[in-house]
Amino acid sequence: MKPPAAKPASDVHSPEVRSYNMSRIRGRDTRPELVIRRGLHARGYRYRLHVKDMPGRPDIVFPKHHAALFVHGCFWHGHNCPLFRMPGTRTEFWESKINANRSRDARNCSALTNDGWRVLTVWECSMRGADRWPEDQIMNFCQAFLNGNAMTLEIGHRLLSTDHTDDQLEV
């Protein structure tokens, strides 16, 4: 008789508990996404959610402003920030998964901009952690993007404009 497989030393949960915990991780209606939605709705912006026929199924779409907004978790999308740390176990699996997510994100952003959509990415680190922005300031950046003409913008623990041809954001 074979002894039961030992769980990795770094994991404090059984495989069943770990599987259950991972199944509870949301892909939509996350806390950062809800904060952005509520804040922009309170400022008078109307939007559609998770539009299926758009590349990448953006979290929030503003048809009037021809803009799409993604709210990315720093871990799942491999953001270069203090909140992201590559797991110490099954490193090859996680590197492959996160690199595939990064590639897919870049393809989706490119496809959207090629179709004439403007793309705003709000990273989780902008809303939590030591380097987080005040909520009003994040809403101001989002509002400035929606009313401006920049094609792409990222809001993380630092504000990053990825297209340098447009005017500076006026917040």
Side-chain angles (χ1 to χ4, degrees), residues 21-40:
N21 289 348
M22 295 299 281
S23 74
R24 298 288 138 226
I25 296 172
R26 298 170 159 245
R28 58 171 47 182
D29 300 333
T30 61
R31 183 172 294 148
E33 185 182 331
L34 292 175
V35 167
I36 298 287
R37 285 174 16 194
R38 288 182 186 132
L40 292 175

Side-chain angles (χ1 to χ4, degrees), residues 116-127:
W117 288 90
R118 298 179 314 114
V119 179
L120 172 61
T121 303
V122 179
W123 290 94
E124 173 188 21
C125 60
S126 68
M127 303 180 81

Side-chain angles (χ1 to χ4, degrees), residues 96-118:
S96 172
K97 180 169 186 59
I98 290 168
N99 287 335
N101 288 348
R102 286 176 173 165
S103 296
R104 188 185 64 242
D105 292 341
R107 280 193 314 272
N108 291 334
C109 183
S110 180
L112 285 167
T113 55
N114 289 340
D115 289 343
W117 288 90
R118 298 179 314 114

Side-chain angles (χ1 to χ4, degrees), residues 48-164:
R48 294 179 58 207
L49 301 176
H50 312 288
V51 178
K52 293 179 183 179
D53 59 346
M54 291 179 70
R57 194 182 285 188
D59 297 313
I60 308 170
V61 177
F62 300 88
K64 178 179 176 182
H65 301 279
H66 217 63
L69 189 150
F70 290 97
V71 182
H72 284 334
C74 295
F75 173 76
W76 296 104
H77 296 269
H79 191 222
N80 184 21
C81 74
L83 294 184
F84 175 72
R85 183 178 58 88
M86 188 62 70
T89 58
R90 298 184 63 206
T91 306
E92 289 178 14
F93 166 80
W94 285 110
E95 283 178 354
S96 172
K97 180 169 186 59
I98 290 168
N99 287 335
N101 288 348
R102 286 176 173 165
S103 296
R104 188 185 64 242
D105 292 341
R107 280 193 314 272
N108 291 334
C109 183
S110 180
L112 285 167
T113 55
N114 289 340
D115 289 343
W117 288 90
R118 298 179 314 114
V119 179
L120 172 61
T121 303
V122 179
W123 290 94
E124 173 188 21
C125 60
S126 68
M127 303 180 81
R128 63 178 283 259
D131 296 329
R132 72 179 173 268
W133 295 86
E135 192 174 309
D136 275 351
Q137 196 166 11
I138 293 171
M139 293 306 130
N140 290 343
F141 286 130
C142 292
Q143 188 171 5
F145 176 80
L146 291 172
N147 294 331
N149 58 5
M151 285 303 288
T152 58
L153 180 72
E154 293 185 28
I155 302 171
H157 63 286
R158 297 182 309 269
L159 179 67
L160 303 171
S161 179
T162 55
D163 63 352
H164 303 287

